[in-house]
Amino acid sequence: MILRVLRIELTRSVAPWAGVVVLVPALAFLYLVDAAWWRGTTAWTAQWTSMAMWTRSLLFYLWPLAVGLGALQGLRDHRSKMYELLTSTPRPARHRAAVLAGTTALTLASGFALLVLVGAVQVWSNSAYTHAGWLPISLVGTLFLVAGAVLGMGAGRALPSALTPPAVAMGAFVFTVLMHSSLGHTETVTASGVPVTEPNQVSLLSPTVEEVRDALVTLSASVHLGQTAWLLGMAATGFALLIAATPRARLTALAPVLAGLMIALLVLPSDPGRMYVVDKSAAELVCDGPVCVTKTQEARLARLAGPGKEALRLLHAALGGQAPISVQEIATVLPEGSEPRWFRETVLLDFDDAVIATAKGRELTRALIARGMVPGCTPVGWEGYGDAAALSIAAGWVTDDLEPLDGTGRSAAEQMAEARPVWRKLKALPQDEQLARISAMRAAALSCEGEPLDALTGGTSR
């Protein structure tokens, strides 16, 4: 009987289109637009959490559509001029509302589940690290679609006008925009004087998430709990509006969403550092001797181990006791715009660093040497390559062979034109003076105080 009712409801409503609107445009957007979700370690097909976060970010556009389609569904009885007839039948209004809301909820959830499934199949074949921590992100995203659609149905039933669906869809879109602009973000200044914007507590009422910047970052449990409370209140209000028959009942129906909002604001964190947090399990290190990567990148360890050990050997031969003793993937996530932190005893690497990402074999060894000597000082989250000439000279001094490096943002000819004059002057110095200059350059690079090339040439550091 239930299946028969669902089949009839699917044939006489816009519910099937709700699932199509979620699935088809989302896949088209992901596959036709060449954007950040296809690049590096945070690609939507690279890791489970990244996949869940990128598909969730599409709710910026999909959630207003779900709310608008829900409002259109809520107008069905009014458009057919059967509302008075249906209310006179002995069947309770909540039963009719449950069938109406349940069918649309089922198609929306199915459409979003298929979208996630497309990404999950690809992640399964690309990642060696499997976990269930991504599931709450996708489940809350599904609940956002369902609650939004039910609220739209309630609005359509309470305000039976042809203008209601586009109005509530536009209102939902404006809401998501505001949550990710003026209302949902606060401008701050980092310790290094760089202005950045950070999400505040209000932004977590939005269905979407921030752009995925690091594969280790996920949403905290308090975010999931607070958003769930907000959405349950939203769905309850939508359902109450569907069955409300009097103005007083419609006014009372607003109580659940207000209660859900109050509970959410009590539960949702206000500190940006407790909203988007590091997944400690994903950040655990897996090592082959002195070369370590996080669990998310464990599949890369075999390719990295040999060049990493060779880089450490060459650095020790060149620098002696000042040389780093380990190679390690960065397992911490600093706030956007902050100054990176480097350590003398460890070569820290980022697989999204173009100098590292484009290198293999011997070139990877040279890239690790270069980054161990001259790590970049570009603020976190900003695009930058570092000093290409300093990188080439550092790697060349250790290997005794000056060659350009790939991924520096400068062509080989440009690198060599800048590096060769400095290289000749450096090699003309006694060995002790060369080591002193190289040590000064490395100290400037590690502390992010001054220009490495100035320190190498004996210039004054800032």
Side-chain angles (χ1 to χ4, degrees):
M1 182 65 181
I2 295 176
L3 292 177
R4 182 183 177 188
V5 171
L6 286 175
R7 187 170 60 251
I8 294 172
E9 191 66 28
L10 287 171
T11 59
R12 61 193 289 253
S13 70
V14 299
W17 292 105
V20 173
V21 164
V22 166
L23 179 61
V24 176
L27 287 177
F29 197 71
L30 286 171
Y31 280 96
L32 298 180
V33 179
D34 182 19
W37 50 79
W38 283 113
R39 302 192 183 106
T41 59
T42 58
W44 82 290
T45 58
Q47 298 292 337
W48 292 100
T49 301
S50 299
M51 180 273 296
M53 296 283 273
W54 279 121
T55 51
R56 174 79 176 268
S57 69
L58 294 178
L59 296 189
F60 189 94
Y61 309 100
L62 298 179
W63 187 68
L65 290 174
V67 175
L69 285 171
L72 185 62
Q73 182 81 314
L75 285 176
R76 188 187 63 186
D77 294 344
H78 177 76
R79 293 197 313 269
S80 62
K81 299 180 180 180
M82 293 178 59
Y83 182 69
E84 292 79 5
L85 175 62
L86 292 173
T87 54
S88 65
T89 61
R91 188 182 183 189
R94 62 180 180 275
H95 288 182
R96 297 194 306 272
V99 172
L100 182 68
T103 306
T104 303
L106 178 64
T107 57
L108 282 170
S110 299
F112 192 69
L114 287 173
L115 173 64
V116 172
L117 180 62
V118 171
V121 169
Q122 297 175 85
V123 173
W124 185 270
S125 61
N126 292 334
S127 175
Y129 175 59
T130 303
H131 63 102
W134 62 275
L135 279 172
I137 301 172
S138 295
L139 290 175
V140 173
T142 304
L143 186 56
F144 258 109
L145 289 172
V146 171
V150 175
L151 182 65
M153 291 179 203
R157 179 64 59 83
L159 301 170
S161 167
L163 297 177
T164 300
V168 296
M170 183 55 67
F173 181 70
V174 171
F175 173 79
T176 58
V177 170
L178 291 176
M179 291 301 100
H180 284 265
S181 56
S182 56
L183 291 182
H185 280 69
T186 304
E187 185 171 318
T188 60
V189 179
T190 65
S192 56
V194 179
V196 295
T197 58
E198 293 181 321
N200 57 34
Q201 187 183 38
V202 178
S203 71
L204 298 176
L205 300 175
S206 168
T208 187
V209 295
E210 297 293 305
E211 182 175 338
V212 184
R213 186 168 59 85
D214 196 295
L216 300 178
V217 172
T218 187
L219 290 170
S220 64
S222 56
V223 172
H224 299 317
L225 291 174
Q227 289 181 337
T228 300
W230 159 239
L231 294 172
L232 291 177
M234 186 187 299
T237 287
F239 191 80
L241 287 173
L242 268 177
I243 62 177
T246 64
R248 183 177 180 179
R250 295 188 183 102
L251 186 61
T252 305
L254 299 178
V257 71
L258 295 177
L261 176 61
M262 293 177 62
I263 295 172
L265 292 177
L266 291 174
V267 175
L268 291 172
S270 56
D271 179 8
R274 293 174 52 231
M275 299 175 189
Y276 295 86
V277 297
V278 174
D279 184 340
K280 294 182 180 179
S281 176
E284 288 182 7
L285 295 177
V286 181
C287 300
D288 182 344
V291 181
C292 302
V293 298
T294 62
K295 272 192 175 181
T296 58
Q297 304 300 330
E298 187 174 359
R300 300 183 188 228
L301 181 59
R303 181 178 69 86
L304 179 68
K309 293 174 183 177
E310 178 65 10
L312 292 175
R313 184 189 70 80
L314 292 171
L315 284 166
H316 180 74
L319 299 175
Q322 299 181 13
I325 59 176
S326 64
V327 174
Q328 179 182 310
E329 182 189 359
I330 298 173
T332 58
V333 180
L334 298 176
E336 185 174 3
S338 60
E339 190 174 87
R341 301 171 186 169
W342 308 113
F343 304 95
R344 187 180 297 275
E345 66 276 9
T346 304
V347 178
L348 293 175
L349 67 99
D350 180 357
F351 286 111
D352 286 328
D353 178 358
V355 174
I356 301 295
T358 58
K360 296 180 181 179
R362 176 176 174 273
E363 288 302 312
L364 181 54
T365 298
R366 295 183 67 251
L368 290 170
I369 291 172
R371 281 307 187 204
M373 298 285 284
V374 188
C377 289
T378 304
V380 175
W382 293 32
E383 186 175 357
Y385 301 97
D387 193 323
L391 287 168
S392 300
I393 292 170
W397 187 81
V398 172
T399 61
D400 200 27
D401 185 13
L402 180 64
E403 295 180 22
L405 286 168
D406 293 331
T408 62
R410 303 280 296 278
S411 69
E414 290 174 331
Q415 288 184 60
M416 291 299 97
E418 186 177 3
R420 278 199 184 100
V422 180
W423 171 261
R424 292 192 188 102
K425 292 179 181 178
L426 176 67
K427 296 299 286 184
L429 297 173
Q431 188 65 29
D432 290 347
E433 181 64 19
Q434 289 184 40
L435 179 58
R437 294 285 183 92
I438 288 291
S439 297
M441 177 184 70
R442 186 173 179 229
L446 290 172
S447 64
C448 291
E449 295 178 359
E451 294 293 338
L453 207 57
D454 287 347
L456 182 64
T457 57
T460 57
S461 298
R462 291 184 297 177

